[in-house]
Amino acid sequence: MKFSLSWLKAHLDTDASLTEITDKLTDIGLELEGIENPADALRAFRVAKVVEAGPHPNADKLQLLKVDDGAAEQWQVVCGAPNARAGMIGVFGPPGTYIPGSDFTLKPAKIRDVESFGMMCSARELELGDEHDGIIELPESAASDVGKSYADYADLDDPIIDIAITPNRQDCMGVRGIARDLAATGLGKLKTLDIPKIDRSGQGPDVVTEDPEGCPAFFGCTVKSVTNTASPDWMQARLKSAGQKSINALVDITNYVMLDHGRPLHVYDISKLSGGLVARKAMAGEKLTALNDKEYLLDATMTVIADDNGAHDIGGIMGGAATGSEMSTTEVLIECAYFTPENIAKTGQKLLLTSDARQRFERGVDPAFLEDGIDIATALVLDICGGTASEVTKAGTPPTEQRTIRYAPAQCLGLGGIDVAEDKQQAILQALGFAVADDWTITIPTWRRDVQGWQDIVEEIIRIEGLDAIPSTPLPRKAGVAKPTASAAQMSERKARRAAAARGLNEVVNWSFISEKEAAPFGGGTWSLANPISEDLKVMRPSLLPGLIAAAQRNASRGATSIGLFEVGRRYLAETEHPTIGLLLSGEQSARSWQAGAASKYDAFDAKAEVMAILKAAGAPVDKLMDFGEAGIHYHPGQSGTLRLGPKKILAAYGALHPNATKALGLKGSAVGAEIFLDAIPLKKKSGHMREAFAPPALQSVTRDFAFIVDADLPSADLVRAVKGADKKLITGARLFDLFEGPSVGEGKKSLAVEITLQPQDATLTDEDLKAVSDKVVANASKLGAALRG
């Protein structure tokens, strides 16, 4: 929220400096976003007098001026403004001055062969208004200020403060609420709010509420014989400081009251209404065009303001284009209503419509400020536009029931950690608008919807007293060496991450949201945002590979020739989220050289090697894994696989990425990738930080070779697994070392040679022992249709 320093001081009597004010705002939870001073951009401009004005020798519509800005010599200026004349006083920008409204810096120039130095400026060029038909004309009294900085002359030195308002601080959505908070800190005194007494006559307008759930209270009054005009300068200046554009006095008044007091209102042109106004539920399929000139389709859950012709306002969010006030308006109806926060939030979300009014109503405006709010707005209308005001029609009842909390001063120390004296606690609460009884029963002000329990009372006291006063106290801990706190799953993830990094992969961190286009090659996302901050961040990722592919593309476009990336994160599927490690290899596996020849590319086996190493580090039983076929639609068919414990438990998928997936994300060339599903890895019940003690065997190991004739389509891993499982106690290793295919082994057959390692434990193996193991190996292999090669 933005506001000027002078606007704040209209509510806060203080001598504090700007720095003291902004520091205190951050201290009490109203975080400073920035400070800007509009005078800074205009300090170089000078109050100047046109000494001479004559025709340009080469142009009928231009004049040649002599301008005195207090410098030693007068400036020659070519000017096309119709109101430029000798003797007038205006605003001059000398050469070298930046013109904010036109976005250029003045330089000496020749205009129609005549030299010109600087320029006399219009309001638009200084961003002081939209006027551009002529240059700024100051009163004759400004003659004594010639040479003075225009920023000082016009008293523009009024810093604009920008603060962030958290959703729970609805009371600070108006400048007065901010001033109240600052006054509670002792930085100044909150000025008394004078509610004007309106001389009202005549019956109030016909307004009713038929939707007590969405609009419990609807107040309204009329003002006749108004003369709509431009807002006074002071109001325009305050609205501009808040980032609001002045429209006309009637509209500006409602915006001003909203920003000043956090109380949204609306003004209707009575001549555009048919009958009375009613707050009711919209009819299903009902449509209206709002002030933003967009048409909205409504449903029966939404509150609207309607007349005899139908709905024309989305209650509490935005008025209708058909009934707004214009410069020709002569009779208005001022609406001041209370809309239920929950209903406003739901309606705004359904319509994807936001506004300043919605921001305040969905947080909860003060329900007790309806009558005061309409009186303040009416007084401004009468002062600026004239007219006569009617009585106020009060339809419905605002929810102004007093809420109380039982509180004990000792709770401040117990929960907040600061020992604040009881009288100081009472003074803080009363300054914030709370009523404190002798028994410490606290009555909550109607504008503090966020305060629900005694914990909130402690928070109010602590933030005003100063969060920096809370002592830094370490949590208690037992003496000695701390015990491990990481779970088995956390330890497994840490080991996997370290293993990936140790193998030369670079870790990346991507967004959990991706675009629909990026999700499509991976089967699309299950979860999508209805109102994302960006279409590129709409879908919760079903895979980590889209982010890795995009990261690889960015690296490749910057000249990287060999890319190895990994990420530890979450995939979001229909049933739940899954912790996963994704990895991607792209570019050259090895660079070209005179020894190796051409550069080599990564293939599916490279991805599998990375997966196996990371799985082993994470504690997975890699020797028991089975390698199954294709991994999914985003992998290349025939060049991918899955590693499983049994047919259904998939620990990882790997392979060459499908060209459709890489092209969709802009990655040129081939790439291989993999995903390791951390939540599928079986973990030990007890996972310590210490490694198992190294206990080398006392006896020498023995190796034996076996060659089997098997079907050509039998996976070699199945045979190796079967051989190793023949004697789990003695056989400590098995590996494939030879593959042979040819006429000698038969059509549709191949020969696989496996080396096994036997590790005796208690005694040296005898020939009988070796024969017994060999028989078991052959028997296990025969279950796969393998026969010992002769």
Side-chain angles (χ1 to χ4, degrees):
M1 180 174 173
K2 292 183 177 182
F3 53 90
S4 63
L5 180 61
S6 64
W7 194 352
L8 176 68
K9 289 186 176 182
H11 293 281
L12 182 68
D13 188 3
T14 180
D15 295 325
S17 67
L18 175 64
T19 301
E20 290 173 328
I21 291 173
T22 54
D23 287 348
K24 187 61 68 175
L25 285 169
T26 297
D27 289 344
I28 61 179
L30 303 175
E31 184 179 355
L32 180 68
E33 292 281 304
I35 303 173
E36 59 180 285
N37 192 339
D40 292 341
L42 303 180
R43 293 197 189 280
F45 295 89
R46 298 282 182 264
V47 176
K49 182 177 181 179
V50 179
V51 179
E52 296 178 7
H56 190 289
N58 302 321
D60 295 337
K61 295 184 178 181
L62 298 178
Q63 294 189 74
L64 197 59
L65 310 181
K66 288 291 185 182
V67 176
D68 176 15
D69 71 338
E73 295 183 5
Q74 297 176 354
W75 300 93
Q76 178 172 283
V77 178
V78 175
C79 180
N83 64 330
R85 64 187 184 278
M88 75 169 292
I89 302 172
V91 181
F92 176 70
T97 304
Y98 175 73
I99 308 297
S102 303
D103 190 24
F104 69 86
T105 300
L106 290 172
K107 298 179 180 179
K110 277 191 176 183
I111 302 175
R112 293 292 182 91
D113 297 327
V114 175
E115 286 188 319
S116 179
F117 302 89
M119 69 183 296
M120 298 295 290
C121 302
S122 68
R124 185 192 296 178
E125 287 161 341
L126 300 188
E127 294 186 331
L128 297 175
D130 294 328
E131 292 296 326
H132 194 59
D133 293 336
I135 57 178
I136 296 173
E137 189 167 351
L138 302 179
E140 292 183 4
S141 58
S144 60
D145 293 303
V146 168
K148 187 175 184 180
S149 169
Y150 178 69
D152 296 334
Y153 167 80
D155 198 20
L156 297 176
D157 200 359
D158 190 8
I160 297 173
I161 303 169
D162 185 8
I163 61 174
I165 307 293
T166 53
N168 64 314
R169 294 306 309 278
Q170 68 283 339
D171 59 306
C172 288
M173 294 297 283
V175 177
R176 184 165 182 81
I178 298 167
R180 183 189 298 112
D181 260 24
L182 289 171
T185 69
L187 202 64
K189 182 179 179 181
L190 185 67
K191 296 182 179 180
T192 302
L193 179 62
D194 294 324
I195 304 300
K197 300 298 182 182
I198 308 298
D199 184 13
R200 298 184 179 275
S201 61
Q203 186 176 358
D206 179 14
V207 296
V208 296
T209 177
E210 297 176 356
D211 181 17
E213 177 190 7
C215 180
F218 187 0
F219 290 10
C221 77
T222 61
V223 182
K224 298 180 179 180
S225 302
V226 300
T227 302
N228 200 4
T229 182
S231 301
D233 292 341
W234 66 266
M235 182 177 288
Q236 290 191 39
R238 290 184 180 180
L239 291 175
K240 185 178 180 181
S241 73
Q244 295 272 357
K245 184 177 180 180
S246 176
I247 299 173
N248 60 56
L250 293 172
V251 174
D252 289 355
I253 287 168
T254 62
N255 288 333
Y256 175 73
V257 175
M258 175 184 68
L259 295 168
D260 197 36
H261 298 281
R263 157 43 66 185
L265 305 105
H266 191 62
V267 171
Y268 300 88
D269 186 332
I270 291 182
S271 67
K272 299 177 181 180
L273 298 176
S274 177
L277 290 180
V278 57
R280 61 168 173 80
K281 292 293 186 186
M283 293 179 285
E286 198 167 12
K287 298 179 180 180
L288 65 81
T289 301
L291 285 171
N292 60 3
D293 293 326
K294 293 183 179 179
E295 186 177 71
Y296 293 92
L297 178 64
L298 311 176
D299 64 38
T301 66
M302 303 174 183
T303 302
V304 297
I305 308 299
D307 60 9
D308 294 346
N309 290 332
H312 47 69
D313 294 89
I314 305 170
I317 299 180
M318 189 170 288
T323 57
S325 64
E326 298 176 350
M327 294 301 289
S328 59
T329 298
T330 59
E331 186 176 1
V332 296
L333 188 155
I334 304 174
E335 166 222 303
C336 188
Y338 181 83
F339 296 95
T340 307
E342 294 77 9
N343 283 33
I344 291 292
K346 291 176 182 178
T347 299
Q349 290 166 4
K350 285 182 179 179
L351 298 178
L352 303 180
L353 177 61
T354 186
S355 66
D356 290 329
R358 175 192 165 183
Q359 287 180 338
R360 288 159 175 80
F361 276 122
E362 72 179 354
R363 286 164 172 77
V365 302
D366 184 3
F369 200 72
L370 272 73
E371 191 167 358
D372 290 345
I374 204 169
D375 282 345
I376 292 171
T378 303
L380 288 170
V381 171
L382 295 175
D383 289 345
I384 299 170
C385 303
T388 57
S390 73
E391 296 292 340
V392 177
T393 302
K394 303 175 183 177
T397 304
T400 56
E401 299 81 7
Q402 294 287 335
R403 295 181 296 124
T404 60
I405 293 176
R406 291 286 297 171
Y407 176 71
Q411 291 172 319
C412 180
L413 176 61
L415 180 63
I418 303 179
D419 189 9
V420 182
E422 290 189 16
D423 58 342
K424 181 70 175 295
Q425 293 189 45
Q426 183 177 12
I428 290 173
L429 292 172
Q430 289 174 339
L432 291 173
F434 296 84
V436 183
D438 292 339
D439 63 351
W440 284 93
T441 297
I442 296 175
T443 303
I444 304 169
T446 53
W447 59 80
R448 292 304 301 269
R449 180 172 176 263
D450 59 304
V451 176
Q452 300 292 330
W454 66 267
Q455 296 88 347
D456 297 318
I457 298 297
V458 172
E459 181 184 357
E460 291 301 297
I461 295 170
I462 295 299
R463 73 180 182 86
I464 298 299
E465 180 68 11
L467 293 172
D468 54 352
I470 300 176
S472 298
T473 306
L475 294 173
R477 56 166 290 175
K478 294 181 180 179
V481 179
K483 294 182 179 180
T485 58
S487 65
Q490 290 171 327
M491 289 301 299
S492 176
E493 180 180 310
R494 290 178 188 177
K495 292 174 181 177
R497 176 184 271 111
R498 289 175 181 175
R503 291 182 64 83
L505 301 178
N506 294 301
E507 185 174 7
V508 300
V509 179
N510 290 308
W511 296 108
S512 295
F513 289 90
I514 58 178
S515 67
E516 290 181 333
K517 178 183 176 182
E518 291 172 322
F522 298 84
T526 303
W527 307 100
S528 298
L529 296 178
N531 188 25
I533 59 174
S534 168
E535 286 298 317
D536 291 335
L537 299 173
K538 184 175 184 178
V539 180
M540 298 190 79
R541 62 186 179 190
S543 167
L544 270 62
L545 291 174
L548 290 169
I549 294 172
Q553 186 276 326
R554 290 193 295 271
N555 281 270
S557 66
R558 287 162 176 78
T561 57
S562 182
I563 301 169
L565 306 174
F566 81 97
E567 180 178 11
V568 182
R570 299 289 189 270
R571 296 175 301 130
Y572 301 92
L573 306 182
E575 69 281 2
T576 186
E577 60 183 69
H578 296 273
T580 306
I581 295 180
L583 63 92
L584 182 136
L585 305 171
S586 179
E588 299 176 351
Q589 195 267 355
S590 62
R592 63 181 180 175
S593 70
W594 65 272
Q595 293 173 311
S600 62
K601 303 293 184 181
Y602 289 104
D603 59 25
F605 295 106
D606 293 314
K608 182 179 179 180
E610 301 296 335
V611 169
M612 294 294 286
I614 295 172
L615 281 173
K616 184 175 181 180
V622 293
D623 55 335
K624 298 180 181 179
L625 295 178
M626 296 181 289
D627 201 337
F628 278 71
E630 299 172 4
I633 61 172
H634 50 279
Y635 288 101
H636 199 297
Q639 299 181 36
S640 61
T642 58
L643 296 173
R644 311 189 185 200
L645 279 174
K648 296 183 179 180
K649 194 174 185 63
I650 304 175
L651 269 62
Y654 69 90
L657 295 177
H658 198 288
N660 290 342
T662 54
K663 287 181 181 178
L665 279 78
L667 179 62
K668 297 179 180 179
S670 61
V672 299
E675 286 185 296
I676 300 171
F677 312 128
L678 294 172
D679 51 350
I681 298 175
L683 302 173
K684 297 179 181 179
K685 293 183 180 179
K686 294 183 180 180
S687 179
H689 287 261
M690 296 181 63
R691 299 177 181 175
E692 294 182 2
F694 178 61
L699 301 173
Q700 185 174 345
S701 61
V702 180
T703 61
R704 287 290 183 270
D705 296 342
F706 297 85
F708 295 98
I709 303 296
V710 299
D711 293 337
D713 59 354
L714 178 72
S716 60
D718 291 356
L719 179 64
V720 173
R721 191 179 301 106
V723 168
K724 188 176 181 181
D727 191 322
K728 296 181 179 179
K729 184 177 181 181
L730 282 177
I731 301 176
T732 57
R735 69 181 185 88
L736 181 73
F737 70 88
D738 184 60
L739 164 66
F740 176 74
E741 294 176 312
S744 60
V745 297
E747 186 177 353
K749 298 291 184 178
K750 62 183 177 182
S751 171
L752 298 177
V754 181
E755 178 192 76
I756 67 170
T757 301
L758 304 171
Q759 180 59 60
Q761 300 296 324
D762 302 320
T764 302
L765 297 175
T766 64
D767 290 342
E768 289 77 10
D769 294 333
L770 294 173
K771 185 178 184 305
V773 172
S774 297
D775 291 341
K776 291 179 182 179
V777 169
V778 174
N780 260 27
S782 66
K783 296 177 182 179
L784 300 176
L788 196 64
R789 184 176 178 184

